[in-house]
Amino acid sequence: MTGLPLIFAFWVAIVIMIVMISKLRIHPFISIMLVALVLGLAAGIPLIDHKLADGTVQYGLATVIGQGFSGTFTSIGIVIILGAMIGTILEKTGGALKLADMMIRLVGKDNPVIAVQLMGWVVSIPVFCDSGFVILDPIRKALVRRTAVSAVSMTFALSSGLFISHVFIPPTPGPIAAASTLGIGDYLLQVIGLGLLCSIFPLIAGYFFARWIGTRVKSKDEVDPEEVTKIYNDLIASYGKLPSAFSTLAPIMIPISLMALSSVIVMLGLTGFVPELLRFLGTPIIALAVGMALATLQLFSVGRSEEFYSVCNSSLTAVGPILFITAAGGVLGKVIAVSDMVRYITAHADIFGSMGIFFPFLLSAVLKTAQGSSTVAMITTAGIIAPLLTVLGFDTPIQATLACMAIGAGAMTVSHANDSYFWVVSEFSGLTPDQGYRVQTMGTLVLGIAAIVEIALLSMVLR
């Protein structure tokens, strides 16, 4: 099956998957894997590997499923495990409550939603949004306990802040790769500047959507406002003296700083032993391992070293389902990536060329929705758009940068079951899959629309 019938089959498969998870109560891992298998068969992926006449190998369905599963573990598995361990230790030592107190003192008790959104937006400039959510989730939970604001509002505020900078602002890989492909790799400062500017509308829209959805969806993390003072005081008493500000911030800020420094070194093209060492320390796995070591020192410093084994064990137990569901989403994305769907969309790109700034947005949104990865959607769309820049009227560096921003906006639209970020947000926040669609999927649709509206307005004045 190819072309339009395959695209139709994809949407039918997504609907069936939603029904299986939400209505039939079939576990998300089983539902996603079954849909990926059936969709792979419908797409005509061979059952076994075949060697073609030109010597290349056409992978069979079993191999594709294995690649999608293992690829997800390779890219984010260890990051999720280490991030969850850091979060658990911060909760055990009272570090998360200390961070919440610091944040409340900074922005005031009446503004926790804005605080967590801006915190996510800043953190995700150097860090992948998946990793950022795992790292910052303990602070989100502590702020919920501290202020009794809606846990769902805080979830989407954090998710949206992370997602917006992830697709707009270098040095995250998506914007850098897209900019380089579009021929504006030497204008990264301009890309960063416009990325900051284009964040305004989606940040505002994300804030109001977070406040709105928090009144309509309730998660497992909710706290009774009447009990919040008692709960918070009881928590403080149970920990005794909270850790210092430095020891609390170190497990989070040092990994983030290492990753940011690594990205800067890559952007500057520095070589030699020291830059390579810093790049090594800045890879997400190693940076979070450093954070884990610092968190462990914090656990020992408060006299709870005997709990180290139980903390690790409980973290691994809690993170297991998240890992497997996330990997299943990777399988679905891989099946779609090797099917004819992406090639069909690419081959018919010229049909939409008259749409101007909306064309890269829609193409990126289709690819994002189809295969799940924002980075893949941005890179693929940039490759399609690059030879069409002049035809579309993007013949100056600033206009090409706006096209890059439009691609980023599309890469937010939308996050659903084939996106690892959807499952990270849903599972860590105690949202059911059905609630995840209402919060994360609908919310990212709002973000994407707000972003492209701002970009369209900017394209009228920036030439």
Side-chain angles (χ1 to χ4, degrees), residues 194 197-198 201 357 393-394 396-399 402 452-463:
L194 265 181
L197 182 62
C198 292
F201 276 29
I357 196 69
F394 307 130
T396 67
I398 192 70
Q399 290 169 338
L402 285 170
I452 192 57
V453 167
E454 179 178 4
I455 294 164
L457 293 173
L458 289 172
S459 69
M460 296 178 184
V461 295
L462 296 178
R463 298 293 178 182

Side-chain angles (χ1 to χ4, degrees), residues 82 86 89 250-252 254-255 258 286-296:
L82 291 173
I86 292 171
I89 291 176
I252 295 175
I254 289 180
L258 287 172
I286 303 303
L288 283 173
V290 172
M292 175 64 185
L294 293 169
T296 303

Side-chain angles (χ1 to χ4, degrees), residues 262-462:
S262 175
S263 299
V264 170
I265 289 171
V266 172
M267 288 175 63
L268 296 176
L270 301 179
T271 58
F273 174 75
V274 173
E276 287 183 4
L277 176 62
L278 292 174
R279 285 183 62 184
F280 168 74
L281 292 173
T283 56
I285 293 173
I286 303 303
L288 283 173
V290 172
M292 175 64 185
L294 293 169
T296 303
L297 289 176
Q298 184 183 122
L299 187 68
F300 277 65
S301 70
V302 296
R304 306 182 75 165
S305 58
E306 72 282 355
E307 297 182 33
F308 182 66
Y309 179 86
S310 63
V311 166
C312 293
N313 193 52
S314 62
S315 297
L316 291 172
T317 301
V319 85
I322 299 172
L323 283 172
F324 289 119
I325 293 171
T326 301
V331 170
L332 180 58
K334 185 66 174 180
V335 167
I336 293 167
V338 302
S339 72
D340 188 61
M341 188 183 300
V342 175
R343 287 190 294 273
Y344 178 83
I345 293 169
T346 303
H348 292 79
D350 56 328
I351 297 174
F352 306 98
S354 61
M355 301 178 69
I357 196 69
F358 293 99
F359 172 57
F361 167 76
L362 290 172
L363 180 57
S364 181
V366 169
L367 290 171
K368 162 65 179 174
T369 304
Q371 53 78 46
S373 168
S374 294
T375 301
V376 170
M378 293 185 72
I379 295 170
T380 305
T381 305
I384 297 169
I385 293 296
L388 303 175
L389 282 174
T390 303
V391 176
L392 294 171
F394 307 130
D395 46 13
T396 67
I398 192 70
Q399 290 169 338
T401 304
L402 285 170
C404 185
M405 295 297 106
I407 291 170
M412 286 194 290
T413 320
V414 292
S415 173
H416 67 104
N418 64 353
D419 179 10
S420 63
Y421 190 47
F422 173 88
W423 294 109
V424 168
V425 172
S426 298
E427 294 293 322
F428 273 88
S429 305
L431 297 173
T432 66
D434 183 57
Q435 290 175 327
Y437 286 114
R438 295 175 64 189
V439 177
Q440 180 70 0
T441 303
M442 291 303 298
T444 52
L445 176 63
V446 170
L447 295 182
I449 292 172
I452 192 57
V453 167
E454 179 178 4
I455 294 164
L457 293 173
L458 289 172
S459 69
M460 296 178 184
V461 295
L462 296 178

Side-chain angles (χ1 to χ4, degrees), residues 50-57:
H50 288 285
K51 191 170 185 178
L52 303 179
D54 60 1
T56 59
V57 177

Side-chain angles (χ1 to χ4, degrees), residues 31-43:
S31 301
I32 298 169
M33 291 295 289
L34 283 174
V35 165
L37 177 63
V38 173
L39 191 61
L41 292 171

Side-chain angles (χ1 to χ4, degrees), residues 116-353:
V116 79
Q117 185 187 43
L118 292 179
M119 180 171 61
W121 182 69
V122 171
V123 165
S124 197
I125 292 174
V127 179
F128 268 92
C129 55
D130 309 64
S131 306
F133 195 93
V134 174
I135 293 170
L136 297 178
D137 189 55
I139 305 175
R140 178 194 68 83
K141 290 178 178 176
L143 282 169
V144 170
R145 297 190 188 104
R146 180 74 174 88
T147 63
V149 72
S150 165
V152 171
S153 292
M154 295 290 279
T155 292
F156 187 72
L158 176 58
S159 167
S160 64
L162 289 161
F163 208 11
I164 290 165
S165 54
H166 176 75
V167 299
F168 281 147
I169 308 172
T172 46
I176 287 181
S180 298
T181 304
L182 294 173
I184 48 174
D186 294 333
Y187 295 86
L188 277 182
L189 187 60
Q190 179 175 281
V191 176
I192 292 171
L194 265 181
L196 295 170
L197 182 62
C198 292
S199 297
I200 295 174
F201 276 29
L203 281 171
I204 294 171
Y207 168 77
F208 283 108
F209 180 83
R211 297 301 298 261
W212 177 81
I213 198 67
T215 64
R216 287 159 174 79
V217 178
K218 301 299 177 185
S219 73
K220 299 173 185 176
D221 290 343
E222 302 295 346
V223 174
D224 185 351
E226 296 181 2
E227 295 291 320
V228 66
T229 301
K230 180 178 182 298
I231 290 172
Y232 188 74
N233 289 337
D234 288 345
L235 281 171
I236 293 293
S238 68
Y239 290 116
K241 185 180 179 181
L242 294 180
S244 68
F246 175 78
S247 66
T248 299
L249 286 169
I252 295 175
M253 295 310 299
I254 289 180
I256 290 171
S257 299
L258 287 172
M259 286 186 273
L261 183 59
S262 175
S263 299
V264 170
I265 289 171
V266 172
M267 288 175 63
L268 296 176
L270 301 179
T271 58
F273 174 75
V274 173
E276 287 183 4
L277 176 62
L278 292 174
R279 285 183 62 184
F280 168 74
L281 292 173
T283 56
I285 293 173
I286 303 303
L288 283 173
V290 172
M292 175 64 185
L294 293 169
T296 303
L297 289 176
Q298 184 183 122
L299 187 68
F300 277 65
S301 70
V302 296
R304 306 182 75 165
S305 58
E306 72 282 355
E307 297 182 33
F308 182 66
Y309 179 86
S310 63
V311 166
C312 293
N313 193 52
S314 62
S315 297
L316 291 172
T317 301
V319 85
I322 299 172
L323 283 172
F324 289 119
I325 293 171
T326 301
V331 170
L332 180 58
K334 185 66 174 180
V335 167
I336 293 167
V338 302
S339 72
D340 188 61
M341 188 183 300
V342 175
R343 287 190 294 273
Y344 178 83
I345 293 169
T346 303
H348 292 79
D350 56 328
I351 297 174
F352 306 98

